[in-house]
Amino acid sequence: MPKIKLMSHLVAGYPTDELSFTAARALVDGGADILEIQLPFSDPSADGPAIQGACTKVLQRGYKTADGLAFIARLHKEFPQVKIYLMSYGSLVYTPGVENFCKRAAAAGVTGMIIPDLPFDYDEGLTAACRANGMENIPVAAPSMSPARLKQLAHAGFPYIYAALRTGITGTDTTIDKNTLAFLKSVGEGGSKIYGGFGISNGQQSHALADYVEAIVAGSVFVRLITENQNDEEALYKAVRTKAEELTGR
């Protein structure tokens, strides 16, 4: 059975920079193809309790965008073969200036940006700024979109689209059924490659999705494992790597 591609989500600096780095190493060793690194944000619109709790803890340490970008730069230096995508929310990108933010992200080693609350057609210049700096803007498609809007996004010429497999927040279980597969077909009908995630936590789900997406996306499941094992670095590494291997079918 071929290996399933995995985009794994980590909150930068959670619970510490060192343990976050250990988790990233475990993900790469477990077969992750892409590290999706979230810059902590105080008022997320899509994150469930596991990720929101992690963000809150990191922000309580006074963590700044510059700290997150330094963490990403360290990951890029250590794992140059692994794609790094940056995930956060619009105000962190908009406040310092979209062009300025994209320049800094690219310099840190980021190749793609996922900003869920910037719509693909009102993105404050994000797509153009990404392209100017050798990155891709990866817009988010959700099942709650109207068929007309989904069609517009699917045919907008984005190389990649992140398909949120259900509405609501991430972190609770998602059932992969015929509606899920029909949604993925609609998202990809314009030729974009699809990253599919939201509530992916086991190998059964990743196998059910694998033929329909470029990569599966998993986040909350790893954040929960990091939380459960944060007092034992060796156990944390083992738990995260084992889960990555389960999701990738290794």
Side-chain angles (χ1 to χ4, degrees), residues 4-5 165-166 171-177 180-181 184 196-213 215-219 221 224 243 246-249:
I4 298 165
K5 281 191 181 177
L165 300 177
R166 56 174 170 71
T172 52
D173 258 358
T174 296
T175 304
I176 313 300
D177 56 21
T180 312
L181 302 181
L184 288 171
F198 249 54
I200 301 303
S201 62
N202 61 60
Q204 191 178 349
Q205 291 169 309
S206 62
H207 281 101
L209 269 181
D211 290 342
Y212 304 92
V213 297
I216 62 143
V217 188
V221 63
R224 283 194 290 268
K243 179 56 71 172
E246 178 193 335
L247 292 171
T248 57

PDB file of all heavy atoms in Angstrom, residues 4-5 165-166 171-177 180-181 184 196-213 215-219 221 224 243 246-249:
ATOM      1  N   ILE A   4       0.549   7.341   2.526  1.00  0.00           N
ATOM      2  CA  ILE A   4      -0.409   8.441   2.441  1.00  0.00           C
ATOM      3  C   ILE A   4       0.310   9.729   2.819  1.00  0.00           C
ATOM      4  O   ILE A   4       1.040   9.783   3.811  1.00  0.00           O
ATOM      5  CB  ILE A   4      -1.595   8.194   3.396  1.00  0.00           C
ATOM      6  CG1 ILE A   4      -2.338   6.924   2.983  1.00  0.00           C
ATOM      7  CG2 ILE A   4      -2.542   9.385   3.416  1.00  0.00           C
ATOM      8  CD1 ILE A   4      -3.280   6.384   4.049  1.00  0.00           C
ATOM      9  N   LYS A   5       0.131  10.778   2.017  1.00  0.00           N
ATOM     10  CA  LYS A   5       0.759  12.058   2.336  1.00  0.00           C
ATOM     11  C   LYS A   5       0.052  12.705   3.522  1.00  0.00           C
ATOM     12  O   LYS A   5      -1.182  12.705   3.591  1.00  0.00           O
ATOM     13  CB  LYS A   5       0.702  12.995   1.125  1.00  0.00           C
ATOM     14  CG  LYS A   5       1.752  12.716   0.075  1.00  0.00           C
ATOM     15  CD  LYS A   5       1.783  13.863  -0.923  1.00  0.00           C
ATOM     16  CE  LYS A   5       2.808  13.633  -2.009  1.00  0.00           C
ATOM     17  NZ  LYS A   5       2.767  14.730  -2.997  1.00  0.00           N
ATOM     18  N   LEU A 165     -13.462  19.463   5.930  1.00  0.00           N
ATOM     19  CA  LEU A 165     -14.377  18.371   5.586  1.00  0.00           C
ATOM     20  C   LEU A 165     -15.755  18.480   6.213  1.00  0.00           C
ATOM     21  O   LEU A 165     -16.649  17.705   5.905  1.00  0.00           O
ATOM     22  CB  LEU A 165     -13.737  17.027   5.953  1.00  0.00           C
ATOM     23  CG  LEU A 165     -12.414  16.752   5.226  1.00  0.00           C
ATOM     24  CD1 LEU A 165     -11.801  15.450   5.695  1.00  0.00           C
ATOM     25  CD2 LEU A 165     -12.615  16.725   3.718  1.00  0.00           C
ATOM     26  N   ARG A 166     -15.916  19.430   7.109  1.00  0.00           N
ATOM     27  CA  ARG A 166     -17.253  19.708   7.636  1.00  0.00           C
ATOM     28  C   ARG A 166     -17.272  21.118   8.184  1.00  0.00           C
ATOM     29  O   ARG A 166     -16.234  21.766   8.318  1.00  0.00           O
ATOM     30  CB  ARG A 166     -17.649  18.702   8.722  1.00  0.00           C
ATOM     31  CG  ARG A 166     -16.679  18.633   9.846  1.00  0.00           C
ATOM     32  CD  ARG A 166     -17.152  17.745  10.984  1.00  0.00           C
ATOM     33  NE  ARG A 166     -16.073  17.530  11.922  1.00  0.00           N
ATOM     34  CZ  ARG A 166     -15.597  18.454  12.744  1.00  0.00           C
ATOM     35  NH1 ARG A 166     -16.116  19.666  12.757  1.00  0.00           N
ATOM     36  NH2 ARG A 166     -14.593  18.183  13.564  1.00  0.00           N
ATOM     37  N   GLY A 171     -11.329  19.298  15.475  1.00  0.00           N
ATOM     38  CA  GLY A 171     -10.986  18.588  16.697  1.00  0.00           C
ATOM     39  C   GLY A 171     -11.948  17.500  17.108  1.00  0.00           C
ATOM     40  O   GLY A 171     -11.623  16.650  17.915  1.00  0.00           O
ATOM     41  N   THR A 172     -13.177  17.528  16.556  1.00  0.00           N
ATOM     42  CA  THR A 172     -14.098  16.427  16.836  1.00  0.00           C
ATOM     43  C   THR A 172     -14.114  15.515  15.622  1.00  0.00           C
ATOM     44  O   THR A 172     -13.732  15.913  14.529  1.00  0.00           O
ATOM     45  CB  THR A 172     -15.521  16.948  17.137  1.00  0.00           C
ATOM     46  OG1 THR A 172     -15.918  17.826  16.073  1.00  0.00           O
ATOM     47  CG2 THR A 172     -15.557  17.737  18.430  1.00  0.00           C
ATOM     48  N   ASP A 173     -14.563  14.289  15.819  1.00  0.00           N
ATOM     49  CA  ASP A 173     -14.454  13.290  14.755  1.00  0.00           C
ATOM     50  C   ASP A 173     -15.262  13.643  13.513  1.00  0.00           C
ATOM     51  O   ASP A 173     -16.370  14.169  13.588  1.00  0.00           O
ATOM     52  CB  ASP A 173     -14.914  11.923  15.280  1.00  0.00           C
ATOM     53  CG  ASP A 173     -13.721  11.032  15.592  1.00  0.00           C
ATOM     54  OD1 ASP A 173     -12.583  11.478  15.354  1.00  0.00           O
ATOM     55  OD2 ASP A 173     -13.926   9.904  16.061  1.00  0.00           O
ATOM     56  N   THR A 174     -14.680  13.342  12.370  1.00  0.00           N
ATOM     57  CA  THR A 174     -15.325  13.567  11.079  1.00  0.00           C
ATOM     58  C   THR A 174     -15.604  12.219  10.430  1.00  0.00           C
ATOM     59  O   THR A 174     -14.735  11.348  10.395  1.00  0.00           O
ATOM     60  CB  THR A 174     -14.396  14.393  10.167  1.00  0.00           C
ATOM     61  OG1 THR A 174     -14.214  15.686  10.749  1.00  0.00           O
ATOM     62  CG2 THR A 174     -14.966  14.550   8.772  1.00  0.00           C
ATOM     63  N   THR A 175     -16.809  12.057   9.919  1.00  0.00           N
ATOM     64  CA  THR A 175     -17.166  10.841   9.192  1.00  0.00           C
ATOM     65  C   THR A 175     -16.932  11.074   7.704  1.00  0.00           C
ATOM     66  O   THR A 175     -17.388  12.079   7.151  1.00  0.00           O
ATOM     67  CB  THR A 175     -18.652  10.494   9.428  1.00  0.00           C
ATOM     68  OG1 THR A 175     -18.869  10.388  10.834  1.00  0.00           O
ATOM     69  CG2 THR A 175     -19.023   9.188   8.766  1.00  0.00           C
ATOM     70  N   ILE A 176     -16.199  10.172   7.088  1.00  0.00           N
ATOM     71  CA  ILE A 176     -15.948  10.265   5.642  1.00  0.00           C
ATOM     72  C   ILE A 176     -17.052   9.476   4.939  1.00  0.00           C
ATOM     73  O   ILE A 176     -17.089   8.256   4.997  1.00  0.00           O
ATOM     74  CB  ILE A 176     -14.567   9.681   5.274  1.00  0.00           C
ATOM     75  CG1 ILE A 176     -13.469  10.186   6.208  1.00  0.00           C
ATOM     76  CG2 ILE A 176     -14.238   9.965   3.816  1.00  0.00           C
ATOM     77  CD1 ILE A 176     -13.265  11.659   6.225  1.00  0.00           C
ATOM     78  N   ASP A 177     -17.978  10.189   4.316  1.00  0.00           N
ATOM     79  CA  ASP A 177     -19.097   9.517   3.648  1.00  0.00           C
ATOM     80  C   ASP A 177     -19.242  10.034   2.222  1.00  0.00           C
ATOM     81  O   ASP A 177     -18.390  10.774   1.726  1.00  0.00           O
ATOM     82  CB  ASP A 177     -20.391   9.709   4.452  1.00  0.00           C
ATOM     83  CG  ASP A 177     -20.724  11.184   4.685  1.00  0.00           C
ATOM     84  OD1 ASP A 177     -20.222  12.038   3.923  1.00  0.00           O
ATOM     85  OD2 ASP A 177     -21.497  11.480   5.613  1.00  0.00           O
ATOM     86  N   THR A 180     -19.026  13.761   1.849  1.00  0.00           N
ATOM     87  CA  THR A 180     -17.642  14.255   1.951  1.00  0.00           C
ATOM     88  C   THR A 180     -16.942  14.123   0.600  1.00  0.00           C
ATOM     89  O   THR A 180     -16.286  15.063   0.128  1.00  0.00           O
ATOM     90  CB  THR A 180     -16.844  13.434   2.988  1.00  0.00           C
ATOM     91  OG1 THR A 180     -17.598  13.302   4.176  1.00  0.00           O
ATOM     92  CG2 THR A 180     -15.504  14.079   3.287  1.00  0.00           C
ATOM     93  N   LEU A 181     -17.087  12.965  -0.024  1.00  0.00           N
ATOM     94  CA  LEU A 181     -16.398  12.708  -1.286  1.00  0.00           C
ATOM     95  C   LEU A 181     -16.966  13.575  -2.416  1.00  0.00           C
ATOM     96  O   LEU A 181     -16.212  14.046  -3.279  1.00  0.00           O
ATOM     97  CB  LEU A 181     -16.472  11.224  -1.641  1.00  0.00           C
ATOM     98  CG  LEU A 181     -15.871  10.274  -0.584  1.00  0.00           C
ATOM     99  CD1 LEU A 181     -15.960   8.831  -1.042  1.00  0.00           C
ATOM    100  CD2 LEU A 181     -14.428  10.644  -0.257  1.00  0.00           C
ATOM    101  N   LEU A 184     -15.420  16.993  -1.941  1.00  0.00           N
ATOM    102  CA  LEU A 184     -14.032  17.012  -2.411  1.00  0.00           C
ATOM    103  C   LEU A 184     -13.961  17.058  -3.939  1.00  0.00           C
ATOM    104  O   LEU A 184     -13.126  17.754  -4.511  1.00  0.00           O
ATOM    105  CB  LEU A 184     -13.281  15.780  -1.890  1.00  0.00           C
ATOM    106  CG  LEU A 184     -12.960  15.784  -0.393  1.00  0.00           C
ATOM    107  CD1 LEU A 184     -12.426  14.419   0.029  1.00  0.00           C
ATOM    108  CD2 LEU A 184     -11.960  16.875  -0.045  1.00  0.00           C
ATOM    109  N   GLY A 196      -7.145  17.713   2.528  1.00  0.00           N
ATOM    110  CA  GLY A 196      -8.408  17.461   3.232  1.00  0.00           C
ATOM    111  C   GLY A 196      -8.189  17.233   4.707  1.00  0.00           C
ATOM    112  O   GLY A 196      -7.420  16.349   5.102  1.00  0.00           O
ATOM    113  N   GLY A 197      -8.870  18.035   5.523  1.00  0.00           N
ATOM    114  CA  GLY A 197      -8.728  17.876   6.969  1.00  0.00           C
ATOM    115  C   GLY A 197      -9.921  18.387   7.736  1.00  0.00           C
ATOM    116  O   GLY A 197     -10.918  18.783   7.148  1.00  0.00           O
ATOM    117  N   PHE A 198      -9.817  18.377   9.049  1.00  0.00           N
ATOM    118  CA  PHE A 198     -10.827  18.753  10.038  1.00  0.00           C
ATOM    119  C   PHE A 198     -11.345  17.471  10.698  1.00  0.00           C
ATOM    120  O   PHE A 198     -12.169  16.753  10.138  1.00  0.00           O
ATOM    121  CB  PHE A 198     -12.018  19.516   9.415  1.00  0.00           C
ATOM    122  CG  PHE A 198     -12.090  20.967   9.823  1.00  0.00           C
ATOM    123  CD1 PHE A 198     -11.004  21.792   9.645  1.00  0.00           C
ATOM    124  CD2 PHE A 198     -13.229  21.503  10.386  1.00  0.00           C
ATOM    125  CE1 PHE A 198     -11.050  23.135  10.008  1.00  0.00           C
ATOM    126  CE2 PHE A 198     -13.290  22.833  10.753  1.00  0.00           C
ATOM    127  CZ  PHE A 198     -12.197  23.659  10.559  1.00  0.00           C
ATOM    128  N   GLY A 199     -10.812  17.177  11.855  1.00  0.00           N
ATOM    129  CA  GLY A 199     -11.293  16.013  12.600  1.00  0.00           C
ATOM    130  C   GLY A 199     -10.716  14.689  12.149  1.00  0.00           C
ATOM    131  O   GLY A 199     -11.302  13.640  12.381  1.00  0.00           O
ATOM    132  N   ILE A 200      -9.536  14.712  11.503  1.00  0.00           N
ATOM    133  CA  ILE A 200      -8.880  13.458  11.091  1.00  0.00           C
ATOM    134  C   ILE A 200      -7.970  13.002  12.234  1.00  0.00           C
ATOM    135  O   ILE A 200      -7.069  13.724  12.648  1.00  0.00           O
ATOM    136  CB  ILE A 200      -8.050  13.658   9.800  1.00  0.00           C
ATOM    137  CG1 ILE A 200      -8.953  14.147   8.667  1.00  0.00           C
ATOM    138  CG2 ILE A 200      -7.357  12.357   9.408  1.00  0.00           C
ATOM    139  CD1 ILE A 200     -10.129  13.258   8.351  1.00  0.00           C
ATOM    140  N   SER A 201      -8.211  11.793  12.738  1.00  0.00           N
ATOM    141  CA  SER A 201      -7.456  11.365  13.917  1.00  0.00           C
ATOM    142  C   SER A 201      -7.009   9.905  13.882  1.00  0.00           C
ATOM    143  O   SER A 201      -6.327   9.459  14.790  1.00  0.00           O
ATOM    144  CB  SER A 201      -8.292  11.592  15.184  1.00  0.00           C
ATOM    145  OG  SER A 201      -9.483  10.810  15.122  1.00  0.00           O
ATOM    146  N   ASN A 202      -7.399   9.147  12.835  1.00  0.00           N
ATOM    147  CA  ASN A 202      -6.995   7.736  12.812  1.00  0.00           C
ATOM    148  C   ASN A 202      -6.738   7.246  11.385  1.00  0.00           C
ATOM    149  O   ASN A 202      -7.127   7.883  10.408  1.00  0.00           O
ATOM    150  CB  ASN A 202      -8.044   6.863  13.515  1.00  0.00           C
ATOM    151  CG  ASN A 202      -9.400   6.932  12.842  1.00  0.00           C
ATOM    152  OD1 ASN A 202      -9.541   6.589  11.667  1.00  0.00           O
ATOM    153  ND2 ASN A 202     -10.420   7.372  13.573  1.00  0.00           N
ATOM    154  N   GLY A 203      -6.075   6.105  11.314  1.00  0.00           N
ATOM    155  CA  GLY A 203      -5.684   5.537  10.032  1.00  0.00           C
ATOM    156  C   GLY A 203      -6.863   5.153   9.151  1.00  0.00           C
ATOM    157  O   GLY A 203      -6.782   5.230   7.923  1.00  0.00           O
ATOM    158  N   GLN A 204      -7.963   4.768   9.776  1.00  0.00           N
ATOM    159  CA  GLN A 204      -9.153   4.399   9.005  1.00  0.00           C
ATOM    160  C   GLN A 204      -9.652   5.603   8.188  1.00  0.00           C
ATOM    161  O   GLN A 204      -9.970   5.487   7.000  1.00  0.00           O
ATOM    162  CB  GLN A 204     -10.248   3.925   9.969  1.00  0.00           C
ATOM    163  CG  GLN A 204     -11.433   3.271   9.278  1.00  0.00           C
ATOM    164  CD  GLN A 204     -12.479   2.782  10.286  1.00  0.00           C
ATOM    165  OE1 GLN A 204     -12.243   2.748  11.496  1.00  0.00           O
ATOM    166  NE2 GLN A 204     -13.640   2.420   9.782  1.00  0.00           N
ATOM    167  N   GLN A 205      -9.701   6.769   8.829  1.00  0.00           N
ATOM    168  CA  GLN A 205     -10.125   7.982   8.125  1.00  0.00           C
ATOM    169  C   GLN A 205      -9.142   8.351   7.019  1.00  0.00           C
ATOM    170  O   GLN A 205      -9.550   8.712   5.910  1.00  0.00           O
ATOM    171  CB  GLN A 205     -10.221   9.153   9.105  1.00  0.00           C
ATOM    172  CG  GLN A 205     -11.351   9.062  10.118  1.00  0.00           C
ATOM    173  CD  GLN A 205     -11.174  10.120  11.188  1.00  0.00           C
ATOM    174  OE1 GLN A 205     -10.104  10.250  11.781  1.00  0.00           O
ATOM    175  NE2 GLN A 205     -12.215  10.890  11.436  1.00  0.00           N
ATOM    176  N   SER A 206      -7.827   8.274   7.330  1.00  0.00           N
ATOM    177  CA  SER A 206      -6.847   8.690   6.331  1.00  0.00           C
ATOM    178  C   SER A 206      -6.870   7.757   5.112  1.00  0.00           C
ATOM    179  O   SER A 206      -6.746   8.211   3.974  1.00  0.00           O
ATOM    180  CB  SER A 206      -5.442   8.803   6.930  1.00  0.00           C
ATOM    181  OG  SER A 206      -4.983   7.581   7.424  1.00  0.00           O
ATOM    182  N   HIS A 207      -7.081   6.460   5.340  1.00  0.00           N
ATOM    183  CA  HIS A 207      -7.196   5.539   4.209  1.00  0.00           C
ATOM    184  C   HIS A 207      -8.445   5.826   3.374  1.00  0.00           C
ATOM    185  O   HIS A 207      -8.413   5.723   2.144  1.00  0.00           O
ATOM    186  CB  HIS A 207      -7.217   4.088   4.704  1.00  0.00           C
ATOM    187  CG  HIS A 207      -5.855   3.565   5.038  1.00  0.00           C
ATOM    188  ND1 HIS A 207      -5.385   3.475   6.333  1.00  0.00           N
ATOM    189  CD2 HIS A 207      -4.839   3.139   4.242  1.00  0.00           C
ATOM    190  CE1 HIS A 207      -4.148   2.996   6.316  1.00  0.00           C
ATOM    191  NE2 HIS A 207      -3.793   2.790   5.070  1.00  0.00           N
ATOM    192  N   ALA A 208      -9.540   6.190   4.044  1.00  0.00           N
ATOM    193  CA  ALA A 208     -10.787   6.488   3.324  1.00  0.00           C
ATOM    194  C   ALA A 208     -10.641   7.733   2.450  1.00  0.00           C
ATOM    195  O   ALA A 208     -11.278   7.855   1.404  1.00  0.00           O
ATOM    196  CB  ALA A 208     -11.928   6.673   4.324  1.00  0.00           C
ATOM    197  N   LEU A 209      -9.774   8.651   2.873  1.00  0.00           N
ATOM    198  CA  LEU A 209      -9.598   9.925   2.154  1.00  0.00           C
ATOM    199  C   LEU A 209      -8.507   9.888   1.097  1.00  0.00           C
ATOM    200  O   LEU A 209      -8.523  10.670   0.160  1.00  0.00           O
ATOM    201  CB  LEU A 209      -9.200  11.016   3.155  1.00  0.00           C
ATOM    202  CG  LEU A 209     -10.264  11.857   3.832  1.00  0.00           C
ATOM    203  CD1 LEU A 209      -9.582  12.866   4.743  1.00  0.00           C
ATOM    204  CD2 LEU A 209     -11.130  12.567   2.809  1.00  0.00           C
ATOM    205  N   ALA A 210      -7.546   8.994   1.280  1.00  0.00           N
ATOM    206  CA  ALA A 210      -6.267   9.077   0.562  1.00  0.00           C
ATOM    207  C   ALA A 210      -6.400   9.208  -0.953  1.00  0.00           C
ATOM    208  O   ALA A 210      -5.643   9.951  -1.584  1.00  0.00           O
ATOM    209  CB  ALA A 210      -5.409   7.872   0.905  1.00  0.00           C
ATOM    210  N   ASP A 211      -7.342   8.507  -1.551  1.00  0.00           N
ATOM    211  CA  ASP A 211      -7.467   8.521  -3.012  1.00  0.00           C
ATOM    212  C   ASP A 211      -8.090   9.806  -3.548  1.00  0.00           C
ATOM    213  O   ASP A 211      -8.115  10.024  -4.757  1.00  0.00           O
ATOM    214  CB  ASP A 211      -8.316   7.328  -3.485  1.00  0.00           C
ATOM    215  CG  ASP A 211      -7.593   6.002  -3.314  1.00  0.00           C
ATOM    216  OD1 ASP A 211      -6.353   6.030  -3.159  1.00  0.00           O
ATOM    217  OD2 ASP A 211      -8.255   4.950  -3.313  1.00  0.00           O
ATOM    218  N   TYR A 212      -8.588  10.644  -2.658  1.00  0.00           N
ATOM    219  CA  TYR A 212      -9.340  11.824  -3.094  1.00  0.00           C
ATOM    220  C   TYR A 212      -8.625  13.140  -2.818  1.00  0.00           C
ATOM    221  O   TYR A 212      -9.106  14.194  -3.202  1.00  0.00           O
ATOM    222  CB  TYR A 212     -10.721  11.843  -2.411  1.00  0.00           C
ATOM    223  CG  TYR A 212     -11.508  10.585  -2.674  1.00  0.00           C
ATOM    224  CD1 TYR A 212     -11.442   9.498  -1.802  1.00  0.00           C
ATOM    225  CD2 TYR A 212     -12.288  10.458  -3.823  1.00  0.00           C
ATOM    226  CE1 TYR A 212     -12.151   8.332  -2.047  1.00  0.00           C
ATOM    227  CE2 TYR A 212     -13.001   9.291  -4.087  1.00  0.00           C
ATOM    228  CZ  TYR A 212     -12.922   8.231  -3.192  1.00  0.00           C
ATOM    229  OH  TYR A 212     -13.618   7.067  -3.453  1.00  0.00           O
ATOM    230  N   VAL A 213      -7.476  13.070  -2.146  1.00  0.00           N
ATOM    231  CA  VAL A 213      -6.774  14.300  -1.761  1.00  0.00           C
ATOM    232  C   VAL A 213      -5.274  14.184  -2.057  1.00  0.00           C
ATOM    233  O   VAL A 213      -4.731  13.087  -2.152  1.00  0.00           O
ATOM    234  CB  VAL A 213      -6.970  14.624  -0.253  1.00  0.00           C
ATOM    235  CG1 VAL A 213      -8.428  14.889   0.064  1.00  0.00           C
ATOM    236  CG2 VAL A 213      -6.422  13.505   0.643  1.00  0.00           C
ATOM    237  N   ALA A 215      -3.096  15.412   0.095  1.00  0.00           N
ATOM    238  CA  ALA A 215      -2.605  15.029   1.424  1.00  0.00           C
ATOM    239  C   ALA A 215      -3.739  15.154   2.421  1.00  0.00           C
ATOM    240  O   ALA A 215      -4.627  15.995   2.264  1.00  0.00           O
ATOM    241  CB  ALA A 215      -1.427  15.921   1.850  1.00  0.00           C
ATOM    242  N   ILE A 216      -3.706  14.315   3.445  1.00  0.00           N
ATOM    243  CA  ILE A 216      -4.652  14.471   4.543  1.00  0.00           C
ATOM    244  C   ILE A 216      -4.040  15.455   5.552  1.00  0.00           C
ATOM    245  O   ILE A 216      -2.823  15.585   5.641  1.00  0.00           O
ATOM    246  CB  ILE A 216      -4.989  13.129   5.224  1.00  0.00           C
ATOM    247  CG1 ILE A 216      -3.720  12.501   5.849  1.00  0.00           C
ATOM    248  CG2 ILE A 216      -5.642  12.167   4.264  1.00  0.00           C
ATOM    249  CD1 ILE A 216      -3.972  11.817   7.137  1.00  0.00           C
ATOM    250  N   VAL A 217      -4.905  16.143   6.275  1.00  0.00           N
ATOM    251  CA  VAL A 217      -4.447  17.121   7.265  1.00  0.00           C
ATOM    252  C   VAL A 217      -4.916  16.676   8.641  1.00  0.00           C
ATOM    253  O   VAL A 217      -6.086  16.341   8.820  1.00  0.00           O
ATOM    254  CB  VAL A 217      -5.001  18.528   6.969  1.00  0.00           C
ATOM    255  CG1 VAL A 217      -4.356  19.559   7.899  1.00  0.00           C
ATOM    256  CG2 VAL A 217      -4.781  18.908   5.509  1.00  0.00           C
ATOM    257  N   ALA A 218      -3.992  16.653   9.598  1.00  0.00           N
ATOM    258  CA  ALA A 218      -4.356  16.305  10.974  1.00  0.00           C
ATOM    259  C   ALA A 218      -3.669  17.275  11.922  1.00  0.00           C
ATOM    260  O   ALA A 218      -2.488  17.596  11.744  1.00  0.00           O
ATOM    261  CB  ALA A 218      -3.929  14.867  11.291  1.00  0.00           C
ATOM    262  N   GLY A 219      -4.426  17.749  12.921  1.00  0.00           N
ATOM    263  CA  GLY A 219      -3.874  18.732  13.845  1.00  0.00           C
ATOM    264  C   GLY A 219      -4.217  18.485  15.294  1.00  0.00           C
ATOM    265  O   GLY A 219      -3.349  18.214  16.120  1.00  0.00           O
ATOM    266  N   VAL A 221      -5.436  16.060  16.862  1.00  0.00           N
ATOM    267  CA  VAL A 221      -4.998  14.767  17.404  1.00  0.00           C
ATOM    268  C   VAL A 221      -3.553  14.851  17.901  1.00  0.00           C
ATOM    269  O   VAL A 221      -3.210  14.300  18.963  1.00  0.00           O
ATOM    270  CB  VAL A 221      -5.165  13.635  16.351  1.00  0.00           C
ATOM    271  CG1 VAL A 221      -4.305  13.855  15.117  1.00  0.00           C
ATOM    272  CG2 VAL A 221      -4.862  12.283  16.972  1.00  0.00           C
ATOM    273  N   ARG A 224      -3.382  17.149  21.097  1.00  0.00           N
ATOM    274  CA  ARG A 224      -3.822  16.415  22.294  1.00  0.00           C
ATOM    275  C   ARG A 224      -2.717  15.479  22.804  1.00  0.00           C
ATOM    276  O   ARG A 224      -2.480  15.380  24.011  1.00  0.00           O
ATOM    277  CB  ARG A 224      -5.092  15.616  21.990  1.00  0.00           C
ATOM    278  CG  ARG A 224      -6.357  16.473  21.945  1.00  0.00           C
ATOM    279  CD  ARG A 224      -7.614  15.625  21.994  1.00  0.00           C
ATOM    280  NE  ARG A 224      -7.810  14.870  20.774  1.00  0.00           N
ATOM    281  CZ  ARG A 224      -8.534  15.304  19.730  1.00  0.00           C
ATOM    282  NH1 ARG A 224      -9.114  16.478  19.764  1.00  0.00           N
ATOM    283  NH2 ARG A 224      -8.673  14.551  18.656  1.00  0.00           N
ATOM    284  N   LYS A 243       1.520   8.043  15.954  1.00  0.00           N
ATOM    285  CA  LYS A 243       0.271   8.510  15.325  1.00  0.00           C
ATOM    286  C   LYS A 243       0.529   8.937  13.880  1.00  0.00           C
ATOM    287  O   LYS A 243      -0.275   8.633  12.981  1.00  0.00           O
ATOM    288  CB  LYS A 243      -0.321   9.661  16.141  1.00  0.00           C
ATOM    289  CG  LYS A 243      -1.612  10.243  15.567  1.00  0.00           C
ATOM    290  CD  LYS A 243      -2.711   9.207  15.357  1.00  0.00           C
ATOM    291  CE  LYS A 243      -3.308   8.716  16.656  1.00  0.00           C
ATOM    292  NZ  LYS A 243      -4.517   7.847  16.398  1.00  0.00           N
ATOM    293  N   GLU A 246       0.709   5.871  11.833  1.00  0.00           N
ATOM    294  CA  GLU A 246      -0.638   5.304  11.633  1.00  0.00           C
ATOM    295  C   GLU A 246      -1.370   6.042  10.513  1.00  0.00           C
ATOM    296  O   GLU A 246      -1.973   5.421   9.620  1.00  0.00           O
ATOM    297  CB  GLU A 246      -1.442   5.418  12.931  1.00  0.00           C
ATOM    298  CG  GLU A 246      -2.872   4.897  12.799  1.00  0.00           C
ATOM    299  CD  GLU A 246      -3.762   5.295  13.978  1.00  0.00           C
ATOM    300  OE1 GLU A 246      -3.235   5.547  15.084  1.00  0.00           O
ATOM    301  OE2 GLU A 246      -4.993   5.325  13.799  1.00  0.00           O
ATOM    302  N   LEU A 247      -1.284   7.370  10.521  1.00  0.00           N
ATOM    303  CA  LEU A 247      -2.015   8.167   9.527  1.00  0.00           C
ATOM    304  C   LEU A 247      -1.435   8.042   8.128  1.00  0.00           C
ATOM    305  O   LEU A 247      -2.146   8.139   7.139  1.00  0.00           O
ATOM    306  CB  LEU A 247      -2.045   9.630   9.960  1.00  0.00           C
ATOM    307  CG  LEU A 247      -2.883   9.954  11.198  1.00  0.00           C
ATOM    308  CD1 LEU A 247      -2.665  11.380  11.643  1.00  0.00           C
ATOM    309  CD2 LEU A 247      -4.373   9.698  10.947  1.00  0.00           C
ATOM    310  N   THR A 248      -0.115   7.825   8.044  1.00  0.00           N
ATOM    311  CA  THR A 248       0.516   7.718   6.734  1.00  0.00           C
ATOM    312  C   THR A 248       0.545   6.274   6.223  1.00  0.00           C
ATOM    313  O   THR A 248       0.987   6.018   5.093  1.00  0.00           O
ATOM    314  CB  THR A 248       1.961   8.249   6.758  1.00  0.00           C
ATOM    315  OG1 THR A 248       2.720   7.554   7.740  1.00  0.00           O
ATOM    316  CG2 THR A 248       1.995   9.740   7.056  1.00  0.00           C
ATOM    317  N   GLY A 249       0.115   5.324   7.054  1.00  0.00           N
ATOM    318  CA  GLY A 249       0.089   3.927   6.648  1.00  0.00           C
ATOM    319  C   GLY A 249       1.462   3.289   6.577  1.00  0.00           C
ATOM    320  O   GLY A 249       1.666   2.306   5.865  1.00  0.00           O
TER     321      GLY A 249
END
